[in-house]
Amino acid sequence: QALLAESTAVGYLYVNEAFTQMTGYSFQEVEGKATRFLAGPLTNQEERRKLQYNIDNFLPGKIEIINYKKNGEPFWVNISIFPVADKNGKYTHWVSMQKEVTLRKKEEEEKETLIKELISNNKELKQFGYITTHNLRAPLTNLMTISKLLDENKIEDALSRKLIDGFKKSTILLNDTLNDLINVLFIKERTNIVTEELSFEEELKKVIASISNILVAKNVDIDYHFLDAPMVNFSDIYLESIFLNLLTNSIKYAHPDRNPVIKINSSKDIDGKVKLIFSDNGIGMNMDSVKNKIFGLYQRFHSNADSKGIGLYLVHSQITALGGNIEVNSEVNVGTTFKLTFERKQIK
């Protein structure tokens, strides 16, 4: 670190060896000079004026500017100055400590450039997503209409019936995929998400009512209580979606040798954060093989025909969109437990 001593009247009185190594100037070359000789075309004059104001008013100061070495090479330097008084309390000298920070500034500039590029690329990808989903919607709607109008019973040729059946299935699958992607874009793009105080029990009952036929058909037993934390500040749409996806996920992956049992409860931790625990007795998963993929888009870990790999991705996106998080623990043939921690994301 370069150390300099300067008189308010005659300029530099002392510089150490670190200053010479940093700038290329010897003490003999700078003796009696002021620091302005180190300035050049890229030196921020506004910062220099701030430092000069401190000097004129005998105030300590600190700046980072570009100075120039003896060979003309620019470099970033962190400068700190301190006034020194004589025995009578009159300020007569200045001590300046200077540290070259060129490498750090370059790293900061590279980081800033990378962030700008990532933001730009992200905007382009979002725009591409909107254009793609919008342009696909109209022709896909036409295909869905055509598939509904086609009556396979009026077609005698077996191959034609098979082709039409394949056409219908592919159209439905494409429509489902497009809807999934639109939902993902909707979640990722929303920033001003409306939140309110919600009752876990009321939101869960809405979802249970909407899929009651499935629950009865599958003999699903749902055991829930929210006495420890009955309310949560969250989005009602997201909370219903989370309950729906977790419930249907447990039904899809129920164990074939026993009826599905789902347990749901809530609590508060010492920081006041609300937690929701959702567990089932399904077929479970091997965490060693799926732990890094479980919340990925279109990730499937079982061969169920109705599994699309979108439900847990949506749950993860919705809880994290509002500053929360989700953890999972699972054991093959025992079941799966999800722990969601809610923390309202502050939107400014």
Side-chain angles (χ1 to χ4, degrees):
Q1 182 164 272
L3 183 65
L4 302 86
E6 184 178 359
S7 167
T8 56
V10 297
Y12 284 152
L13 297 176
Y14 168 80
V15 298
N16 66 357
E17 181 62 26
F19 174 84
T20 300
Q21 293 177 359
M22 183 173 67
T23 65
Y25 290 101
S26 66
F27 171 62
Q28 289 75 19
E29 292 174 298
V30 302
E31 184 178 9
K33 293 184 178 180
T35 56
R36 67 176 66 92
F37 76 92
L38 294 171
L42 296 179
T43 302
N44 189 322
Q45 296 302 321
E46 181 61 30
E47 289 297 299
R48 284 189 57 81
R49 281 191 286 272
K50 289 179 183 178
L51 196 65
Q52 188 60 50
Y53 173 85
N54 287 45
I55 292 173
D56 293 342
N57 291 276
F58 300 101
L59 299 171
K62 185 176 182 179
I63 62 170
E64 283 188 353
I65 60 171
I66 294 177
N67 274 340
Y68 286 79
K69 300 181 180 182
K70 183 178 179 179
N71 62 7
E73 179 186 347
F75 68 100
W76 277 97
V77 61
N78 179 297
I79 302 174
S80 298
I81 60 170
F82 306 91
V84 178
D86 61 17
K87 62 181 180 179
N88 297 317
K90 180 181 179 181
Y91 291 112
T92 58
H93 296 76
W94 287 91
V95 173
S96 173
M97 291 186 292
Q98 302 187 10
K99 180 179 180 181
E100 184 173 357
V101 291
T102 304
L103 180 60
R104 174 171 62 79
K105 296 296 287 189
K106 284 184 177 179
E107 290 175 347
E108 290 175 356
E109 290 171 2
E110 290 173 358
K111 183 179 179 179
E112 185 177 348
T113 300
L114 179 59
I115 290 173
K116 288 180 180 179
E117 290 177 355
L118 288 173
I119 292 173
S120 176
N121 291 339
N122 189 45
K123 288 181 178 179
E124 291 178 3
L125 286 173
K126 284 183 178 179
Q127 190 64 25
F128 174 76
Y130 295 139
I131 293 171
T132 301
T133 53
H134 179 270
N135 291 351
L136 283 176
R137 175 51 67 196
L140 184 54
T141 300
N142 290 334
L143 289 174
M144 289 292 292
T145 302
I146 293 171
S147 66
K148 290 178 181 179
L149 293 174
L150 288 173
D151 188 352
E152 299 173 47
N153 296 324
K154 295 181 179 180
I155 301 174
E156 298 180 358
D157 181 62
L159 179 60
S160 296
R161 285 199 303 271
K162 186 175 182 180
L163 290 173
I164 290 174
D165 181 62
F167 166 76
K168 287 185 175 182
K169 290 179 179 178
S170 296
T171 302
I172 292 171
L173 180 61
L174 180 58
N175 185 64
D176 289 344
T177 300
L178 182 60
N179 287 335
D180 290 341
L181 293 175
I182 290 173
N183 286 334
V184 170
L185 285 172
F186 179 71
I187 294 171
K188 295 298 185 183
E189 178 61 17
R190 288 187 70 184
T191 54
N192 297 315
I193 304 171
V194 177
T195 63
E196 57 184 310
E197 287 296 315
L198 302 172
S199 164
F200 277 126
E201 184 170 355
E202 289 179 7
E203 299 302 315
L204 177 60
K205 284 182 176 179
K206 291 179 188 177
V207 176
I208 290 175
S210 70
I211 59 171
S212 58
N213 292 338
I214 299 174
L215 297 174
V216 172
K218 299 291 185 179
N219 294 315
V220 181
D221 178 17
I222 302 178
D223 177 19
Y224 65 87
H225 71 83
F226 305 110
L227 298 177
D228 295 334
M231 308 292 290
V232 66
N233 193 309
F234 203 64
S235 160
D236 59 341
I237 297 174
Y238 283 5
L239 187 55
E240 284 188 32
S241 175
I242 287 171
F243 274 136
L244 178 61
N245 279 298
L246 290 179
L247 283 170
T248 53
N249 190 73
S250 292
I251 295 170
K252 286 177 187 177
Y253 302 115
H255 198 285
D257 298 332
R258 53 180 178 258
N259 290 336
V261 175
I262 298 171
K263 296 182 179 182
I264 312 170
N265 62 78
S266 61
S267 64
K268 275 190 178 181
D269 63 17
I270 57 175
D271 296 324
K273 295 179 182 178
V274 176
K275 295 183 181 294
L276 181 72
I277 311 298
F278 187 105
S279 61
D280 63 43
N281 65 338
I283 57 178
M285 297 172 287
N286 183 337
M287 292 302 296
D288 290 335
S289 60
V290 308
K291 60 183 178 181
N292 295 325
K293 305 175 184 177
I294 193 166
F295 296 117
L297 184 60
Y298 294 128
Q299 293 292 330
R300 299 172 59 186
F301 310 111
H302 299 289
S303 58
N304 298 42
D306 59 346
S307 175
K308 297 190 298 180
I310 187 72
L312 293 183
Y313 177 85
L314 290 175
V315 171
H316 180 270
S317 297
Q318 288 162 339
I319 188 69
T320 56
L322 284 167
N325 64 72
I326 180 171
E327 302 171 33
V328 59
N329 186 41
S330 187
E331 186 176 345
V332 176
N333 291 325
V334 175
T336 302
T337 297
F338 295 96
K339 182 168 71 174
L340 292 82
T341 302
F342 295 82
E343 181 177 8
R344 182 168 183 245
K345 184 178 182 181
Q346 300 298 319
I347 307 296
K348 296 184 179 180

